[in-house]
Amino acid sequence: MVLGVVGVLAVLAPLIADESGLDATKAEGGRLEGPSWRFWLGTDEVGRSVLVLVLWGARVSLLVGLAATVLSVGLGALVGLVAGHAGGGVSWVLMRVTDWFLVLPQLVLAIALATVLGPTQATIIVAIALTSWASTARLVRAATLSVSTRGHVERAKALGAGGWHVVRRHVLPGVLPLIAASATLQVASSVLAEATLSFLGLGDPGRVSWGTMLSRAHEAGSVSYGAWWYLLPPGLAIIAVVAAFTVCGRALESAFQEGR
């Protein structure tokens, strides 16, 4: 329900709040005004409605989270499938590369990539994806090895089925539930990573996300000013979305384990 509500609000943001509300030159409120009938969640440091910022920020935060997850899980699933099915030297090389990414501090590597490549939305997506695919690769490889030992897979091999046919028709359907659970959990991590990078000033300065809102609220001195309405909405939105994706991911994991 939480994800459904947030998703609908993000999609309908252009219909609920005009995008001109993001333009600081067209701000109609005062600096850090408290909640009122005119501005339900108050205003920011330049007089923009915090409610408008939260609605439009949901689009960026969810887009980055979902796009980074697609790239991350796609890369991890590909590496895991190839390593699990090919075996031998190919598997050894791929797993050593995976181990190298696993031991690296993800946040530090993401910060380095975002700094080198520049603060853009595409950069954040690539940085998150390249630092978070390794765990999925490990899980998919283990699931691939398990599925490959099942009877129907062995029969397909005995009947002369090629490697690509076995992977596509027999192995991949068996590991898809695990990939789906991993992807759901990865969205939560990606949304949190985007918020962290944006809070550190590495997000796209031309776009509003929940992370950039927290960064600007901190820079504007909203804590000392007592402007809780500027900090709480984006912070609670991040917590709600991350918690919802995590709960869904854990539920999928439990269902997958019971199904096995």
Side-chain angles (χ1 to χ4, degrees):
M1 290 177 63
V2 170
L3 294 178
V5 170
V6 174
V8 170
L9 291 176
V11 172
L12 299 180
L15 301 178
I16 300 173
D18 197 317
E19 190 175 5
S20 61
L22 304 177
D23 191 345
T25 63
K26 298 179 181 179
E28 299 178 351
R31 183 180 187 274
L32 296 178
E33 285 187 17
S36 62
W37 287 110
R38 186 184 182 191
F39 301 106
W40 291 3
L41 295 180
T43 64
D44 66 356
E45 73 278 10
V46 296
R48 296 175 297 180
S49 171
V50 173
L51 178 59
V52 174
L53 296 177
V54 170
L55 289 174
W56 281 89
R59 295 170 66 89
V60 175
S61 294
L62 291 179
L63 175 61
V64 172
L66 292 173
T69 298
V70 170
L71 290 177
S72 172
V73 173
L75 178 59
L78 178 62
V79 172
L81 283 170
V82 173
H85 184 72
V90 174
S91 177
W92 187 89
V93 171
L94 290 176
M95 286 302 97
R96 298 297 74 76
V97 175
T98 301
D99 291 340
W100 186 77
F101 275 93
L102 281 173
V103 300
L104 286 176
Q106 292 187 6
L107 180 58
V108 176
L109 181 57
I111 291 174
L113 288 173
T115 302
V116 172
L117 298 177
T120 64
Q121 185 171 296
T123 295
I124 296 298
I125 293 173
V126 171
I128 295 173
L130 289 180
T131 57
S132 57
W133 62 270
S135 57
T136 301
R138 273 286 180 188
L139 290 173
V140 172
R141 175 182 177 272
T144 299
L145 292 174
S146 175
V147 172
S148 296
T149 60
R150 295 178 183 176
H152 67 283
V153 178
E154 295 292 342
R155 285 194 297 270
K157 292 179 180 178
L159 292 173
W164 168 245
H165 176 83
V166 170
V167 171
R168 180 171 57 89
R169 295 294 300 274
H170 301 286
V171 176
L172 184 58
V175 300
L176 273 179
L178 180 62
I179 294 176
S182 177
T184 307
L185 291 171
Q186 186 58 46
V187 175
S189 300
S190 298
V191 170
L192 194 58
E194 186 279 331
T196 303
L197 293 174
S198 295
F199 181 78
L200 295 175
L202 298 174
D204 188 344
R207 296 180 180 271
V208 175
S209 70
W210 292 334
T212 58
M213 287 184 67
L214 291 176
S215 177
R216 291 169 182 170
H218 174 70
E219 293 173 356
S222 57
V223 175
S224 58
Y225 191 84
W228 54 267
W229 57 87
Y230 195 7
L231 287 168
L232 283 183
L236 292 177
I238 293 171
I239 292 173
V241 169
V242 170
F245 272 114
T246 301
V247 169
C248 291
R250 296 302 182 192
L252 286 175
E253 277 189 341
S254 299
F256 171 67
Q257 291 174 356
E258 291 175 0
R260 286 192 303 180

